[in-house]
Amino acid sequence: MEGRRVPTGVHIRDARRHLFDAAERVLLRDGPSALTSRAVTDEAGVAKGVLHRHFADFDAFLAELVRDRIARVERLAAALRASAGTGTVAGNLTGALIDLFDGVAVAIVGLVVFRDELRVRLRAGRPGGGVPVLAEAGAMIAAYLSEERELGRIAADADVDSLALSLIGAGHLLFAGREGAPPDSEAVDRVVGAVVADVVQRRLL
């Protein structure tokens, strides 16, 4: 970056996290096409060599960035499953989708779609395939709905896998298709309600 001094000998306590945070800021501000190794190191305020000391190449860095987001989805999944039996099914799902599809997650999904090499790396060793992050999000929703089905809060014959696909697809379109501010909770709740209304109502019959 012209006019900016980039430190080469500054100790960074957690260089990986520092670089991930910088990459997320670039994604949010400029989009997947702008995410380069130079953009990341400039944003982080470090020399380019710092990235290559911690990652074999830039695609390896991006793969770990996506895996870091997947780990966050897995933490959200644990919290969502713990909420089974409390509140309302629709309310729990609405909160989960809002937490899931923050600006970084939407940008990272775009990054995976944008970069073929990254997608190939991430799919290696991942059973089931699917788009990374979205696939884990679908598994999160399906596992939660399975818990609610066991508790009798949705219909016993509910197809939780199909419901999860519908919720993740609709949620992603809702958040990714916005310019500016994300959708509010009422907009998300309307979508969730439309998807799960039948299985919730049939449980009451």
Side-chain angles (χ1 to χ4, degrees):
M1 188 175 293
E2 189 175 351
R4 180 175 177 177
R5 294 183 63 191
V6 178
T8 58
V10 176
H11 173 69
I12 301 172
R13 183 178 180 189
D14 187 348
R16 289 167 59 92
R17 183 74 262 161
H18 187 65
L19 291 165
F20 288 163
D21 289 346
E24 290 178 357
R25 291 194 298 273
V26 174
L27 278 171
L28 285 173
R29 185 180 63 240
D30 303 321
S33 63
L35 194 65
T36 64
S37 59
R38 177 56 61 85
V40 171
T41 53
D42 281 354
E43 181 69 27
V46 300
K48 193 171 181 180
V50 172
L51 188 149
H52 293 286
R53 281 201 297 273
H54 293 274
F55 303 93
D57 54 35
F58 191 55
D59 279 316
F61 168 77
L62 294 178
E64 289 304 310
L65 175 68
V66 177
R67 291 184 184 112
D68 183 71
R69 178 54 48 157
I70 288 171
R72 184 177 186 274
V73 174
E74 290 169 349
R75 292 191 293 274
L76 288 174
L80 180 59
R81 289 189 68 176
S83 73
T86 67
T88 66
V89 173
N92 292 339
L93 289 168
T94 295
L97 290 179
I98 291 171
D99 289 342
L100 173 67
F101 287 119
D102 63 10
V104 173
V106 172
I108 283 180
V109 170
L111 177 70
V112 172
V113 172
F114 179 73
R115 295 182 71 102
D116 293 340
E117 174 61 27
L118 174 60
R119 198 162 57 252
V120 169
R121 284 192 184 218
L122 289 167
R123 283 177 175 169
R126 289 177 70 255
V131 177
V133 178
L134 293 184
E136 286 77 13
M140 172 184 81
I141 298 296
Y144 164 74
L145 289 171
S146 292
E147 294 280 346
E148 294 288 25
R149 187 174 59 188
E150 289 294 318
L151 293 169
R153 300 219 304 164
I154 62 174
D157 63 350
D159 183 345
V160 298
D161 292 325
S162 294
L163 288 169
L165 284 173
S166 296
L167 287 165
I168 293 302
H172 181 246
L173 288 172
L174 185 63
F175 281 83
R178 303 281 294 202
E179 292 288 340
D184 59 28
S185 59
E186 290 185 6
V188 181
D189 191 60
R190 283 195 298 273
V191 171
V192 171
V195 174
V196 303
D198 177 64
V199 294
V200 171
Q201 290 169 359
R202 285 194 292 109
R203 168 258 176 190
L204 299 173
L205 296 178

